[in-house]
Amino acid sequence: MPMHNTETRTPGQTAISPKRVIAVTSGKGGVGKTNVSINLALGLAALERRVLVLDADLGMANVDVMLGLRPEKTLADVMEGTCELQDIILQGPKNVKIIPASSGIKRMADLSVTEHAGMIYAFSALSEMTDVLIIDTAAGISDSVVNFCTAAQEIVVVVCNEPASITDAYAMIKVLNTQYKQNHFRVLVNMAHSANEGVKLFQKLVEVTERFLNVSLELIGTIPYDPNIRKAVQRQKAVIEYLPQSSSSLAFKKLAEEADKWPIPDHASGNLEFFVEQMFRPESSTRWAQA
């Protein structure tokens, strides 16, 4: 059953199929963000969604490593014009497709007009083969991370039971809210020892944001601490594939089922080429200097 609607267009225009675009971010490293991105992708694929994962950690790309994949070319090669976007897509488990990145594409925020148009065209070609785009951002609040988050429809903030995790998640939310007018965030608690621990961590974040920001936070789930995740990582597999009935795998499956119910746009903001237009819109290169 298709998950997307088709927007009614005027005669002569191509119908646009809205897509779900999810940015998974954290504020700090070490909270399991990439694991979340990968397992959410596989969970959605199990629901017969066509899933594309964009490794947006431009400095330390590792989605391919965690899945035991060996890309011959990356998004950097696409930007250099030596290959097409379709040429670098890796086939992951459960038919999940991966766009690998590398440390050589930090200049993506400074695309020329020609490169900008080329990237939009490249993503447009993927639009009809994708239902969900998951963006695994880098940690921190760098320009590229903020740009990916503001271009996506959904922002999932991953936190864990460490003071720095809550502090950095708040910093991320503050920047996106005060400077870029983002006001809705979905929060996922990872590596929790109980559901109650997840609720308490979420409440801590709610308390500080309610005091200083005008935002809406939504707890979308708690992924339990599971030693099987480490075993899966060592075997370069997603835990949802390695041990489907483990506690974390069941939680990721539930998360995917819930994410699949999130409202999807009925207009062009859900299209993949629109996502790229937002990523590289002209004001992007100037607004950082104003921040």
Side-chain angles (χ1 to χ4, degrees):
M1 181 176 66
M3 63 162 285
H4 52 269
N5 304 316
T6 300
E7 181 188 9
T8 302
R9 309 287 286 177
T10 57
Q13 288 183 300
T14 301
I16 291 178
S17 298
K19 313 296 178 182
R20 196 186 304 282
V21 182
I22 305 170
V24 180
T25 192
S26 62
K28 80 175 290 291
V31 300
K33 173 182 53 57
T34 299
N35 251 316
V36 168
S37 298
I38 291 171
N39 284 285
L40 173 58
L42 267 66
L44 287 166
L47 299 175
E48 299 185 354
R49 306 311 179 206
R50 300 169 298 174
V51 186
L52 179 66
V53 177
L54 171 59
D55 190 340
D57 191 338
L58 307 184
M60 299 179 67
N62 63 356
V63 169
D64 55 325
V65 175
M66 293 187 69
L67 291 176
L69 304 174
R70 294 174 175 78
E72 294 182 3
K73 294 182 179 295
T74 70
L75 202 48
D77 297 288
V78 177
M79 300 310 303
E80 293 298 328
T82 61
C83 64
E84 302 294 328
L85 186 59
Q86 293 90 330
D87 298 332
I88 71 169
I89 295 177
L90 300 174
Q91 188 67 52
K94 306 298 184 183
N95 207 35
V96 169
K97 294 177 173 56
I98 313 293
I99 296 181
S102 76
S103 58
I105 58 172
K106 288 186 177 181
R107 68 182 187 86
M108 286 177 70
D110 301 314
L111 293 185
S112 68
V113 173
T114 302
E115 290 172 328
H116 177 196
M119 184 61 74
I120 293 172
Y121 176 81
F123 268 83
S124 177
L126 301 179
S127 188
E128 290 308 311
M129 57 178 278
T130 306
D131 295 320
V132 186
L133 172 63
I134 295 177
I135 309 146
D136 181 42
T137 76
I141 51 176
S142 67
D143 294 350
S144 66
V145 172
V146 171
N147 221 9
F148 278 116
C149 288
T150 55
Q153 306 155 354
E154 303 283 357
I155 303 173
V156 173
V157 181
V158 182
V159 298
C160 66
N161 193 7
E162 295 180 8
S165 173
I166 299 298
T167 301
D168 291 357
Y170 170 76
M172 165 66 75
I173 292 170
K174 179 180 179 181
V175 168
L176 290 171
N177 175 240
T178 60
Q179 297 185 31
Y180 306 104
K181 310 305 178 186
Q182 301 293 313
N183 55 24
H184 183 252
F185 301 86
R186 301 185 188 271
V187 178
L188 178 69
V189 178
N190 195 25
M191 299 183 288
H193 289 88
S194 69
N196 187 48
E197 179 182 293
V199 172
K200 287 183 177 179
L201 283 176
F202 175 69
Q203 287 301 326
K204 285 183 181 179
L205 191 56
V206 168
E207 288 172 8
V208 68
T209 53
E210 283 185 342
R211 191 179 310 169
F212 301 107
L213 304 174
N214 181 26
V215 297
S216 169
L217 302 186
E218 177 184 351
L219 178 63
I220 59 172
T222 298
I223 307 299
Y225 173 80
D226 183 358
N228 291 307
I229 290 181
R230 181 176 179 82
K231 295 177 183 177
V233 169
Q234 291 172 339
R235 289 164 175 77
Q236 293 183 294
K237 290 182 176 292
V239 71
I240 206 171
E241 181 187 27
Y242 173 63
L243 281 176
Q245 297 303 314
S246 69
S247 60
S248 59
S249 293
L250 295 176
F252 279 124
K253 290 176 184 178
K254 182 178 179 180
L255 172 65
E257 290 169 358
E258 292 302 314
D260 194 49
K261 299 174 186 175
W262 296 345
I264 56 176
D266 57 0
H267 50 81
S269 66
N271 217 36
L272 295 189
E273 53 265 46
F274 180 85
F275 160 74
V276 182
E277 287 175 348
Q278 290 294 98
M279 267 294 302
F280 304 119
R281 54 195 180 278
E283 64 267 27
S284 294
S285 60
T286 58
R287 66 180 182 174
W288 309 129
Q290 300 168 356

